[in-house]
Amino acid sequence: PFSHVFDNEFLPKVLGNRAETFGWSHESMSIRLLDSMIDNNYIDEHVLSKSDCRKIEDLICASCSAYKPSPYFREKRYLTEIVANGRNSIDVDKFDYLDRDCYYCGVRASCDFRRIMPFIKVIDNSVCFKASEVWNVYEIFHTRASLHRRVYTHKVAKAIEYMVVDALVEANESLNIVEKIRSPREFIQLDDTILKRIQFSDANHESGGMRKARQIVERIHKRDLYKFVNEYCVPREMLPSWRKVTAEDVVSCQLVNRSHGVQLHPDDIIVQ
């Protein structure tokens, strides 16, 4: 549920150092879901062969750092650059989600995805683009950067993301969320309706964690969101020696407000 928020925020927060023992990744679960769909729908070998399944798996994992292509794709390496391009990140997946997100967020894309397609050619076993389209290709990354700045990392979007993560963390013990990633059959139960299940959980038969989770979800509906405080852009020359700031660092610098008795704790702060 909630795509990369689940992968990058929720699971590390719950599992910590145990994440590796679960063998979880976005791509590996996609492959397991594919296998599960084939088995559950009794798709025969003559309809979708094991060789075809292996090719689909290759296309899914092509951008992973540990990816090792099968003999078929070593001869036709350019095919691995269509869905998940690990060479330059220009692929149909990016075309799809950028076009979709621009449309639904009311943001105008500065690139023309449809114009790029006719100017693609395979050269030396790689997908290449006509030189005259260089600025349109640049605009793909400009559009992506714009969406990250204006949508994906917008302060309200991030506040809701963190609240969703906290709600899932609190509800994990009652709903057994983490354990469901072990099985594709159970994992598909974790769609976005999980927030509804938390919201309408039985108040008479719930744990303290579930009660907190429901309160967080109710805060989201009431727009009583986490508050954005500040941001700091680290100068490029300082990046090599820059130490990651923690919530404890922020708390250690506070001045206790004696008039109102306000004192922050590390659990009150999220540092991105």
Side-chain angles (χ1 to χ4, degrees), residues 3 7 15 20 37 115 162 165 196 260-261 271:
S3 191
D7 300 342
L15 296 177
E20 292 184 2
M37 286 189 293
R115 177 176 171 80
Y162 288 131
V165 170
K196 289 292 185 184
H260 298 288
V271 180

Side-chain angles (χ1 to χ4, degrees), residues 128-268:
C128 301
F129 303 87
K130 190 176 180 181
S132 62
E133 290 301 301
V134 61
W135 292 108
N136 204 11
V137 171
Y138 288 161
E139 288 301 327
I140 295 174
F141 296 98
H142 178 264
T143 298
R144 181 176 180 272
S146 178
L147 282 171
H148 269 275
R149 184 175 62 254
R150 300 165 63 186
V151 179
Y152 305 147
T153 60
H154 187 278
K155 61 182 181 180
V156 175
K158 295 303 294 184
I160 294 175
E161 280 186 10
Y162 288 131
M163 293 180 78
V164 167
V165 170
D166 286 348
L168 294 179
V169 170
E170 295 293 348
N172 178 57
E173 185 175 345
S174 297
L175 298 181
N176 210 21
I177 297 172
V178 167
E179 289 300 319
K180 293 186 187 301
I181 70 174
R182 295 184 185 274
S183 165
R185 185 183 292 273
E186 293 188 354
F187 179 73
I188 60 175
Q189 300 174 21
L190 297 179
D191 58 17
D192 293 356
T193 61
I194 192 170
L195 291 187
K196 289 292 185 184
R197 277 184 271 167
I198 294 173
Q199 182 183 3
F200 297 113
S201 59
D202 188 350
N204 297 319
H205 301 86
E206 65 180 11
S207 64
M210 200 66 175
R211 188 179 304 110
K212 291 179 182 178
R214 193 173 71 253
Q215 291 171 351
I216 294 172
V217 173
E218 289 173 352
R219 284 185 61 182
I220 293 174
H221 285 288
K222 294 176 182 177
R223 300 285 290 185
D224 180 17
L225 307 178
Y226 293 171
K227 301 301 181 184
F228 170 78
V229 177
N230 202 359
E231 64 181 356
Y232 177 71
C233 293
V234 181
R236 185 184 298 272
E237 62 273 12
M238 294 177 63
L239 284 174
S241 59
W242 186 261
R243 184 176 66 85
K244 184 178 180 180
V245 177
T246 65
E248 288 76 11
D249 294 330
V250 177
V251 168
S252 67
C253 296
Q254 72 178 321
L255 296 176
V256 177
N257 189 325
R258 297 180 182 277
S259 60
H260 298 288
V262 176
Q263 184 171 4
L264 292 174
H265 301 279
D267 290 343
D268 300 324

Side-chain angles (χ1 to χ4, degrees), residues 31 34-35 38 43-60 70 72-73:
I31 292 172
L34 172 66
D35 293 338
I38 292 171
I43 299 176
D44 295 330
E45 177 84 13
H46 71 275
V47 176
L48 188 63
S49 68
K50 291 182 180 179
S51 175
D52 290 335
C53 291
R54 168 62 178 166
K55 291 173 184 176
I56 295 171
E57 293 173 4
D58 270 49
L59 294 176
I60 292 172
S70 61
Y72 177 83
F73 284 107

